[in-house]
Amino acid sequence: MKFLHPDYLWLLLILIPLIVWYFRKRENENPSLGISSLGSFNKIKGSWKRFLFPVCYAMNLLGIACLIVALARPQTHDSLRNSRIIGTDIVLAIDISASMSATDFEPNRFEVAKELATKFVNNRSNDNIGLVEFAGESLSLLPLTTDKAALVNAISNIRMGDLMDGTAIGDGLTSAINRIVTGTAKSKSIILLTDGTNNAGDVPPETAAQIAREKGIRVYTVGIGTNGNIEIVDPYGFSTTTMETKIDENSLRNIADQTGGKFFRATNERALKDVFEEIDSLEKSLIDVSSFSRTDEDFMRWVTFALILFMIPVVIRYTVLRRIP
């Protein structure tokens, strides 16, 4: 924990004269009465309530201390760290069209793709990885980053139905290219997962593949699922329909061949696992990475402590130590 205004902590020295003043005040405030003998009072014990007075004062002092700490603005955060590591640049482009809810995978194609993508990210300790989703249009979700927690969270939050339905393979590949060109690694690769045929978008897949080839980006295309009539569940789980799905293997293979990548046909979960395992052998090079941290304000906790410490003595004085006028 660090403080935004550490100089305010010098105010804690105020507590020293307050403590001295309290003890001197107690010495002078005790009333006295002259009597001939104290023998009659030997068996009388002092009330336990007298110990509450210094306790209440101590709570007030602690409350003041907590307010001073709050003024110093305590913060919890990580630091910015620049480093060079061995790794590669990768962008995952995941199809979220309605056909990805087909149940020829358990529980469906979409959930299996997300699960294996998450495992893949967790196994790539030093790589810069970005994330793109596409359906009838494409959306870049995360730039290249080594923050595995952010990547896993982004993958888990992908939902079918967030984009216009359809399969815009060319647009999805173009968005992935735009993300990966900013990377500094020698090896740049795009993993594109889809279960359909390009039927939407503004960029033809062949054009996107040509752009990737010119920029030295390998594209690994993955065709998920089986062809034929497949049971489709709507993104909200309210209805089930039967739809004919067909993967355009020729187009996906052409994209991979043009860019020096590879086409994979994954008709089951095991085959899809093999895809990610093979991509683990990608060439690696030195890359520069920056690790950023988030700063969280922590002063409210100290303000809360101060309020509690101020309120308890007030309650005690008006209940247990209440005085009769």
Side-chain angles (χ1 to χ4, degrees):
M1 181 175 66
K2 296 184 179 180
F3 295 92
L4 185 62
H5 306 298
D7 291 342
Y8 285 175
L9 296 177
W10 287 105
L11 293 175
L12 292 173
L13 295 175
I14 296 175
L15 299 179
I16 297 176
L18 290 176
I19 294 173
V20 173
W21 171 83
Y22 177 76
F23 283 104
R24 287 188 176 181
K25 178 175 177 293
R26 282 179 59 85
E27 292 176 357
N28 299 327
E29 71 178 0
N30 293 328
S32 61
L33 176 66
I35 58 176
S36 59
S37 174
L38 296 176
S40 301
F41 301 95
N42 289 336
K43 296 182 180 181
I44 300 178
K45 297 181 179 180
S47 174
W48 60 271
K49 295 182 180 180
R50 64 191 177 92
F51 296 104
L52 291 179
F53 289 101
V55 170
C56 289
Y57 190 73
M59 287 185 177
N60 286 332
L61 293 180
L62 289 174
I64 293 172
C66 288
L67 285 181
I68 293 173
V69 173
L71 285 174
R73 291 280 296 279
Q75 297 175 333
T76 56
H77 61 87
D78 301 321
S79 59
L80 171 64
R81 183 171 60 90
N82 296 317
S83 60
R84 303 195 77 192
I85 60 176
I86 298 293
T88 186
D89 293 336
I90 301 173
V91 172
L92 295 173
I94 300 177
D95 188 348
I96 65 168
S97 59
S99 58
M100 287 290 287
S101 64
T103 56
D104 51 345
F105 282 51
E106 181 63 38
N108 57 48
R109 298 173 180 175
F110 181 64
E111 293 300 327
V112 170
K114 286 174 57 176
E115 179 185 351
L116 293 178
T118 299
K119 291 180 179 178
F120 175 78
V121 166
N122 286 328
N123 289 334
R124 308 292 296 189
S125 57
N126 293 331
D127 295 325
N128 272 326
I129 301 178
L131 184 63
V132 168
E133 64 178 10
F134 66 94
E137 53 191 341
S138 64
L139 177 65
S140 181
L141 296 178
L142 206 64
L144 291 172
T145 179
T146 57
D147 188 340
K148 298 301 178 288
L151 282 162
V152 170
N153 185 61
I155 293 172
S156 66
N157 287 329
I158 296 177
R159 297 288 183 270
M160 286 185 294
D162 289 345
L163 301 176
M164 178 180 64
D165 198 25
T167 306
I169 295 175
D171 285 12
L173 183 53
T174 301
S175 294
I177 293 171
N178 290 335
R179 275 303 185 194
I180 204 168
V181 291
T182 60
T184 59
K186 179 180 178 181
S187 176
K188 299 180 185 295
S189 305
I190 294 172
I191 304 173
L192 187 143
L193 299 94
T194 183
D195 70 340
T197 301
N198 188 78
N199 56 19
D202 300 321
V203 182
E206 295 77 13
T207 301
Q210 184 178 354
I211 296 172
R213 181 184 62 187
E214 292 173 354
K215 296 185 178 297
I217 303 168
R218 288 196 299 266
V219 181
Y220 291 82
T221 54
V222 184
I224 304 175
T226 56
N227 291 327
N229 293 325
I230 301 295
E231 189 177 76
I232 304 294
V233 181
D234 77 274
Y236 306 101
F238 295 125
S239 63
T240 301
T241 58
T242 300
M243 176 187 295
E244 182 181 2
T245 62
K246 184 177 181 180
I247 298 173
D248 190 349
E249 296 187 21
N250 290 332
S251 177
L252 295 178
R253 184 175 284 105
N254 181 53
I255 292 172
D257 291 342
Q258 279 195 61
T259 60
K262 188 175 180 180
F263 167 69
F264 297 90
R265 188 71 170 87
T267 57
N268 54 57
E269 185 174 345
R270 177 64 257 178
L272 194 54
K273 286 182 180 180
D274 293 339
V275 171
F276 287 111
E277 289 175 0
E278 181 163 341
I279 294 173
D280 274 337
S281 61
L282 291 174
E283 177 185 0
K284 294 177 171 58
S285 63
L286 278 173
I287 58 176
D288 297 316
V289 297
S290 297
S291 300
F292 296 92
S293 61
R294 184 183 65 184
T295 299
D296 293 321
E297 296 286 351
D298 199 30
F299 69 90
M300 278 305 301
R301 178 173 59 173
W302 295 94
V303 172
T304 302
F305 289 159
L307 291 176
I308 293 173
L309 290 169
F310 286 139
M311 288 301 300
I312 291 177
V314 171
V315 173
I316 291 176
R317 288 193 178 99
Y318 282 92
T319 54
V320 179
L321 299 180
R322 183 177 182 182
R323 297 180 179 180
I324 300 176

